[in-house]
Amino acid sequence: MGYKVAVVGATGNVGREMMDILSERGFPADEVVALASSRSKGKEVSYGDKTLKCQVLDHYDFSDVDFCLMSAGGALSKEWSPKIAATGCIVIDNSSQWRYDERIPLIVPEVNAHVLDEWVKKKDRINIIANPNCSTAQLLVALKPLHDKATIKRIVVSTYQSVSGGGKAAMDELFHQTRAVFVADPIENNIFTKRIAFNVIPHIDSFMDDGSTKEEWKVVAETKKMLDPKIKVTCTAVRVPVFVSHAEAVNIEFENPLSADEARDILREAPGCLVIDKREDGGYITPVEAAGEDATYISRIREDPTLENGLNIWVVSDNLRKGAALNTVQIAETLVNKGLVKPRSDA
């Protein structure tokens, strides 16, 4: 018997990606259910070659559902995830609501899948698993194999984040502003604090007391929780006029020596990583090329002569996939492949 999977927020950017990825990767589901708010009742979404009609979350019975993939925002997750989890269904949540709760595992399978082995043994566990922030997920896929080899002391991250991280309305704003520039129409800012077309904005999420933004804080906190609490992390998060895929310039300081050639070889063998690093015109990956792909791409691997053991790398990944939908599905796949969760229909 296969698993029963519910996708909450199935009409959104990430929810639609989840449906596509479940089908593409052949997740062993006998049934997939699309759930959304009452205003989306009956709206059609694609699942492989099938079309599913959205059902209403408020009235749905989760008592026979194995996995609930939640992509409907923090407020809704705060209300519904505990209720769904209490039925015995495992909720894998894509919002920031549960990431920093000590009781909830925060997982990137290539980085810390081993955490799930102990989590499933806990009799008092809460059946919620958190998906990390999109910019952190791709960062740690690239950093984990390097940390295992040479132990990272400090990282300095500058992100170049696409507008899709802000949802469909943010993508629409970039489109409309870009068109307005060419036809000399007035430019309206509704989603972003400043014009995003032909511009970059060093501000994602709300500001904190120390001058950082919440997005920057997430990278710091999640890196420490998933990779190593001793790593020092500083981040500047920037929104750029790109529709899909985030890029990151990462400066890494190690405890032990690690050459660029050694790092390149390690990353070529690392799960989830794809190295495209030729020192010639076009010998690197950009966000446009990463869109629609599952891999985390690493380019521009080079030694930093200002540090004793330093490297610079360029990391690019589709934020809607590895940064959100793909990682969520991979968490469910990990639980299945490790034999940690059996279909409730088998019970």
Side-chain angles (χ1 to χ4, degrees), residues 51-271:
T51 299
L52 306 181
K53 288 190 175 181
C54 284
Q55 301 181 50
V56 180
L57 169 64
D58 298 34
H59 307 133
Y60 197 77
D61 178 6
F62 286 87
S63 60
D64 64 345
V65 178
D66 298 293
F67 295 106
C68 173
L69 311 186
M70 178 77 70
S71 184
L76 191 141
S77 181
K78 183 179 181 180
E79 177 185 359
W80 281 96
S81 290
K83 296 177 184 177
I84 297 168
T87 69
C89 175
I90 293 176
V91 178
I92 306 174
D93 179 48
N94 193 52
S95 79
S96 62
Q97 176 61 41
W98 306 101
R99 292 174 186 158
Y100 317 108
D101 189 320
E102 292 181 358
R103 303 167 298 170
I104 306 298
L106 180 64
I107 301 293
V108 172
E110 296 94 334
V111 176
N112 63 341
H114 63 278
V115 170
L116 296 173
D117 297 327
E118 293 303 315
W119 175 75
V120 296
K121 295 176 185 176
K122 294 181 179 178
K123 294 181 180 179
D124 60 344
R125 74 168 190 253
I126 301 170
N127 282 324
I128 301 173
I129 300 169
N131 202 48
N133 187 42
C134 48
S135 50
T136 313
Q138 68 185 67
L139 174 67
L140 296 193
V141 169
L143 292 185
K144 175 63 163 63
L146 301 180
H147 182 58
D148 288 347
K149 177 65 176 179
T151 310
I152 296 170
K153 291 172 60 178
R154 179 175 184 259
I155 59 172
V156 180
V157 187
S158 298
T159 73
Y160 304 76
Q161 294 180 227
S162 65
V163 296
S164 57
K168 183 179 182 300
M171 298 175 76
D172 289 343
E173 183 151 304
L174 172 58
F175 175 81
H176 292 307
Q177 285 187 0
T178 302
R179 185 172 60 183
V181 169
F182 284 110
V183 299
D185 277 351
I187 294 175
E188 298 181 3
N189 302 333
N190 297 310
I191 303 299
F192 298 106
T193 55
K194 298 203 175 191
R195 172 179 136 178
I196 186 63
F198 303 98
N199 197 18
V200 298
I201 304 172
H203 174 197
I204 303 176
D205 212 325
S206 56
F207 275 96
M208 304 179 73
D209 291 343
D210 67 353
S212 299
T213 64
K214 189 73 178 291
E215 184 77 6
E216 292 155 356
W217 176 85
K218 289 173 187 176
V219 172
V220 175
E222 294 173 22
T223 297
K224 289 177 176 292
K225 182 172 180 177
M226 285 189 286
L227 191 57
D228 190 333
K230 296 189 292 293
I231 296 175
K232 295 179 179 179
V233 186
T234 185
C235 177
T236 299
V238 182
R239 191 72 78 187
V240 297
V242 170
F243 282 109
V244 177
S245 299
H246 293 348
E248 297 164 340
V250 190
N251 178 262
I252 314 165
E253 181 180 2
F254 297 94
E255 287 187 10
N256 304 305
L258 184 68
S259 71
D261 286 340
E262 288 175 313
R264 203 173 285 112
D265 290 341
I266 290 167
L267 290 167
R268 283 197 176 110
E269 299 299 321

Side-chain angles (χ1 to χ4, degrees), residues 1-3 30 64 66 342-347:
M1 295 291 289
Y3 295 83
D30 277 353
D64 64 345
D66 298 293
K342 302 294 185 184
R344 296 168 82 180
S345 55
D346 284 357

Side-chain angles (χ1 to χ4, degrees), residues 17 138 160 162 242-248 274 276 284-299 314-323 326:
E17 285 285 346
Q138 68 185 67
Y160 304 76
S162 65
V242 170
F243 282 109
V244 177
S245 299
H246 293 348
E248 297 164 340
L274 193 56
I276 306 292
Y284 42 79
I285 284 289
T286 62
V288 168
E289 296 150 303
E293 301 294 329
D294 289 347
T296 294
Y297 292 91
I298 301 102
S299 305
W314 172 252
V315 181
V316 186
S317 191
D318 184 326
N319 57 296
L320 298 179
R321 292 181 75 89
K322 185 55 189 172
L326 173 64

